[in-house]
Amino acid sequence: MNCLYIPTIAAADAAANASQAAESFCGISPVFWLVPAASILALIFARIFYCGMKRSEEGTDIMKKIAGHVRDGATAYLWQQYKMVGIVFLIITAIFAFLAYGLGVQNGWVPFAFLTGGFFSGLAGYFGMKTATYASNRAAWAANKSLDSGLRVAFRSGAVMGLVVVGLALLDISAWFLILNALIDDASQHHKMIMITTTMLTFGMGASLQALFARVGGGIFTKAADVGADLVGKVEAGIPEDDPRNPATIADNVGDNVGDVAGMGADLYESYCGSILATASLGAAAYMSASPDIQMKAVIAPMLIGAIGTILSIVGIYFVKVKPGADSKQLLGALGKGINVSSVLILIASAAVLYMLNLPNCWGKFWSIVVGLLTGIFIGKITEYYTSEAYKPTQEIAYQAKTGSATVIIAGMGTGMISTFYPVMAIVVGTALAYMFSAGWDFANISEGLYGIGIAAVGMLSTLGITLATDAYGPIADNAGGNAEMAGLGKEVRRRTDMLDSLGNTTAATGKGFAIGSAALTALALLASYVEELRIGITHASGKGLAKVDAIINEFALLGKDVKTAGLVDFMNVYDVHLMNPKVLLGIFIGAMMAFLFCGLTMNAVGRAANKMVNEVRRQFRETAGIMEGKVDPDYARCVGISTKAAQKEMMFPSLLAIAAPVAVGLIFGVPGVLGLLTGALAAGFVLAIFMANSGGSWDNAKKFIEQGNLGGKGSEAHKAAVIGDTVGDPFKDTSGPSLNILVKLMSMVAIVMAGVTVAYSLF
Amino acid sequence: MEKYLYLSLLPEALIASHLSPEEFGAYYATGVFRRSCGQAIFFELDKNFKSDFLPVDRIDELCQPHEDGSPHKSVYLAVYRVLEHVPLSAIKRLYVVTSDGKTLGLDEKPFEPDGEKLFMYQDLAPIRPRVISVLNPAEYVKRITSEDRLVHLDKFAFCDMKLGSLETDPENGDLGDLPYKNSQHLRDCIRAVQTKGKRNNKIFMRTLNGEILFRTIRRGFYVGDASGMKYYPLPSRDDLENKYYDWWRSALANFGE
């Protein structure tokens, strides 16, 4: 499988030599410039799509008014969130600065890298949400003309989000790579690459922290508003969903934007950066003993795959077009065509790039990418099977509704738990294959095997530009439906926006598969990157008179190894990382518990926030005359404010806990404890995330199945039971579940950034 | 200030008001402070009709604007045994109100049987059983108001409800989107009325416990006595979705029986 056995090796060598000769900027391969070029291209096309959306008609005055309320609420929420998060970022940056410049136990670039990661992640969420809030009424009005016009506006607006996320991520990555490459001065080119990649990893922590705040805060906001709007508006006041008389209805729509759009954007920005950076770091470590040129290529390979994916995602977006008068099947076909064309082209281009880079065993790496893509698609299909009302598992939950809400809850929990089997097995098989392909079927070739796992995660997310477009398109279509409903547009428009929304749900399942799968693979890669960061931490802290560090360096010396060149297994041996070490076992227990503790805290937070919203909606109905007659507008802003404040207050503790846990475990149990913690959190968190997302999704769709006219339809006893199931599932699928993936990665990132502190100051 | 006279079916009451039917519907369903919610069905009556039993001649005296000049929203003139004392000729439009106060006015139309052989009726006033019958609405009114029967009503109001595929296959037909409880008992009742030589009507539910889901109404509402029947058809599904969407959307949001 090695490239050396390919007959066309002469051509590849020639190409490689040519590229070496063309090295121009601080030893960086010219092909690297494809990365910043792709990022700028993505941002240009995002701008083109954004302007195109802004040029389309806004609809009637009432549509503009409703969209304005939602936009104002969403913007107010994000600014408030960024203010709070900004304070947290400044405090943490100050701590990092003290650790780096005061104690000298941390890389001096960390405070800056941390800040830019958070800034770009927030920016991606902000642009996506701004576009979505401008697009909802325009998509509704376009659907008034035809289904394909509605699709065009909603999908191109979703594409803005997809392209902004990948564009900003690649811009941040390439900028830091260039800066660090120019400024880090190290006699050894090999060690320089390790320094660069591990430093870049720390901006992943900024992105992860921003993403966790966005997901948890957005999730609490949206569910508090949703539950408040439903419980008081629908159940107590008897008014329909998306009714302008409901004071919480705007907050509900705002929640869709801040949770499903801004939260998802920050989340996937973090996943995308995390996978590329972790893989680059593993590449630097895996090829430490190869030539500097090969090591450099291994570092930039994941960035290049991301760049190619970005360019081909733009191509794919242009394949999403339908003729006027198209039906839903044709629309689904068009969306699928866009994703499929991008995926196939990315595979072909990735093969070409890996071949041109002439990395050792390049075809093995290529097959790792294929495995990554296939694993993502498989998880997506399985997710769809377990959560769509078109299939048996969700229909079974709906049938359980005939005997009441208790059996609905039991069935949903059971189905959610069973649904973890296939995704986990897919990750097990996918990880094993990606490892083995990359390691040349040699289990002992750990460093190349781990690089393969990282490359598989990058492969999975390489289509993010277009898969995120189909993800973000869903909430836009959903909001367009809400806008059409509130503005009282005709039946045909509502039918079309419903169809667009339904299509979004189908395509989003694939996106979810990629997000879940890549999170697991990236977290695995981050575990290995943590060990690389230990190397840097020890190097930094050496010679500062720290007894712990000196003892570790001595242990390496006793093994006849140098910290700078020691392998993964050497680190495991020196730190006693094995299952018989109680520090590892205790860490595993704490890590597994963290996943549950985090879920419990976020779910209770939704309950408390929803309670405040319910009281406010009741108060407005009670005290403001004329709301129910439609003569007086409710105070929408107050509901948005309540959800905003509650979300800000409630998101802090669980998020800060995620930062504190790896630091505390590291200071008490040291490196073995941290590795146990990350392993426990990954194993429990990954399975729990799938369970919660799928249970919540299947409860939601079981309710929809009944509302479609089955088992007595809307208003029946079965429907009442299914509504209870859906309400229970809301924080499962929209708050706690999606946050778990970020929690696992944030804990890994914190552990990575604080590796120097752990190495220097751990108690045991 | 104009005065209106209304005959509420849920509950049965004669009410005078200064509010127009739409305003009265919203008020009646959601209360003065709009803090409650509850479905309403009422007729607008000719306020000049004469009755020895009902105090309709006291409307002007009792229904006066408040001291601050605001309209009197409701003056209850009578409850219980109201419908039987209101002549059919005094009954004008019917108004159906969703639980959040959206009001839809229905006009009377001539009734034409549509050839159906099986019906489910929800009686609304004066009593509220749900009945399975092989009689069409006109025949059903004649039967229930027939003085030949030991138990009969002078006048009553009701609506007919959908039976879905049970109309053709009571044994195995699927209720689909029809939310009726006790489906096995429903099938038993259908079998009972379809068996030749047995009864024409069979009570399926002794009384209505909650609200009616308007989406389960088959053709519309009826009010009748031995002298005749008035029929108020619900608009077609297309018209509900296009012309009366606000009301229909609100009706679909209800939980009911």
Side-chain angles (χ1 to χ4, degrees), chain A residues 98-100 102-107 530 533-553 571 575 662-663 665-672 674 751-764:
Chain A
F98 174 70
L99 292 172
L103 299 180
V105 293
Q106 201 170 61
N107 188 329
Y530 175 68
E533 194 66 37
L534 287 178
R535 188 195 311 278
I536 303 297
I538 295 167
T539 313
H540 262 283
S542 64
K544 291 194 169 65
L546 294 162
K548 276 262 173 205
V549 179
D550 293 341
I552 289 294
I553 292 171
F571 276 90
Y575 276 106
V663 179
V665 169
L667 286 176
I668 297 169
F669 296 120
V671 171
V674 171
I752 285 170
V753 172
M754 299 301 282
V757 177
T758 306
V759 163
Y761 300 111
S762 69
L763 199 58
F764 298 111

Side-chain angles (χ1 to χ4, degrees), chain B residues 1-252:
Chain B
M1 204 173 277
E2 193 168 352
K3 294 183 183 71
Y4 298 88
L5 190 59
Y6 299 119
L7 166 55
S8 162
L9 298 177
L10 302 171
E12 191 182 349
L14 185 68
I15 302 164
S17 174
H18 287 124
L19 302 179
S20 67
E22 284 73 19
E23 290 170 329
F24 179 74
Y27 151 75
Y28 202 42
T30 61
V32 179
F33 300 107
R34 303 293 186 258
R35 293 181 198 172
S36 73
C37 66
Q39 193 174 69
I41 302 173
F42 62 90
F43 288 109
E44 185 188 355
L45 301 182
D46 175 359
K47 61 180 182 262
N48 298 315
F49 85 90
K50 303 293 178 200
S51 170
D52 296 332
F53 184 82
L54 300 167
V56 283
D57 52 348
R58 296 185 64 197
I59 293 176
D60 289 339
E61 173 200 337
L62 296 170
C63 188
Q64 292 289 334
H66 292 292
E67 283 178 8
D68 62 359
S70 60
H72 213 137
K73 295 182 175 67
S74 60
V75 179
Y76 277 74
L77 298 175
V79 292
Y80 181 61
R81 298 191 67 190
V82 177
L83 178 60
E84 68 179 274
H85 292 103
V86 175
L88 274 183
S89 57
I91 295 176
K92 294 159 75 178
R93 287 187 98 197
L94 174 72
Y95 293 90
V96 282
V97 188
T98 63
S99 52
D100 71 325
K102 299 277 184 198
T103 306
L104 177 70
L106 304 178
D107 291 312
E108 187 204 343
K109 296 258 171 74
F111 174 73
E112 293 292 337
D114 60 2
E116 283 297 327
K117 298 276 190 289
L118 183 68
F119 303 88
M120 182 159 78
Y121 297 119
Q122 175 62 56
D123 291 0
L124 300 170
I127 51 172
R128 291 199 284 274
R130 190 169 288 183
V131 177
I132 302 297
S133 178
V134 289
L135 306 175
N136 72 34
E139 295 166 337
Y140 183 61
V141 168
K142 267 187 194 160
R143 173 90 174 166
I144 298 298
T145 57
S146 165
E147 291 185 6
D148 298 340
R149 288 167 54 88
L150 175 64
V151 176
H152 68 273
L153 300 171
D154 288 335
K155 191 181 283 112
F156 76 116
F158 63 100
C159 60
D160 58 352
M161 303 184 77
K162 291 176 184 169
L163 278 170
S165 58
L166 294 194
E167 283 178 21
T168 50
D169 183 8
E171 292 289 341
N172 304 307
D174 185 7
L175 274 168
D177 69 345
L178 299 175
Y180 312 134
K181 287 185 217 167
N182 304 319
S183 58
Q184 281 310 320
H185 179 54
L186 177 58
R187 291 177 203 274
D188 292 341
C189 294
I190 293 172
R191 271 195 296 271
V193 296
Q194 283 185 328
T195 307
K196 281 192 177 172
K198 289 205 171 178
R199 58 183 67 187
N200 292 324
N201 301 318
K202 169 92 179 144
I203 291 177
F204 157 55
M205 210 163 81
R206 288 191 300 278
T207 190
L208 178 68
N209 295 317
E211 298 187 342
I212 300 166
L213 270 179
F214 289 126
R215 70 175 176 84
T216 60
I217 304 280
R218 186 171 158 265
R219 288 184 70 183
F221 295 82
Y222 309 84
V223 58
D225 58 19
S227 68
M229 182 183 84
K230 286 191 168 193
Y231 165 50
Y232 298 86
L234 204 63
S236 68
R237 178 64 74 102
D238 260 4
D239 281 350
L240 287 170
E241 287 182 345
N242 292 310
K243 291 186 192 164
Y244 311 107
Y245 184 64
D246 262 6
W247 180 86
W248 180 235
R249 185 163 155 257
S250 172
L252 287 177

Side-chain angles (χ1 to χ4, degrees), chain A residues 595 598-599 685 688-689 692 735-745:
Chain A
F598 180 82
C599 279
L688 193 58
M692 296 192 90
T735 310
S736 305
S739 308
L740 274 169
N741 288 330
I742 309 173
L743 171 84
V744 171
K745 283 181 282 177

Side-chain angles (χ1 to χ4, degrees), chain A residues 234-245 485-486 489-492 494 621-623 626 628-629 631 708-717 719-720 723, chain B residues 23 26 30 32-37 98-102 174-181 213 215 237-238 241-242 245-246 249-257:
Chain A
K234 271 159 80 172
V235 179
E236 291 181 15
I239 57 180
E241 188 146 351
D242 287 329
D243 192 300
R245 291 174 297 168
E485 192 84 50
M486 282 190 264
L489 295 190
K491 174 189 163 193
E492 187 56 26
R494 293 189 310 273
F621 276 131
R622 189 172 62 239
E623 294 177 4
M628 281 297 283
E629 295 99 315
K631 290 176 185 166
Q708 283 163 8
N710 300 294
L711 307 169
K714 245 183 170 179
S716 62
E717 289 299 310
H719 184 229
K720 288 175 198 168
V723 166
Chain B
E23 290 170 329
T30 61
V32 179
F33 300 107
R34 303 293 186 258
R35 293 181 198 172
S36 73
C37 66
T98 63
S99 52
D100 71 325
K102 299 277 184 198
D174 185 7
L175 274 168
D177 69 345
L178 299 175
Y180 312 134
K181 287 185 217 167
L213 270 179
R215 70 175 176 84
R237 178 64 74 102
D238 260 4
E241 287 182 345
N242 292 310
Y245 184 64
D246 262 6
R249 185 163 155 257
S250 172
L252 287 177
N254 277 14
F255 285 96
E257 289 284 327

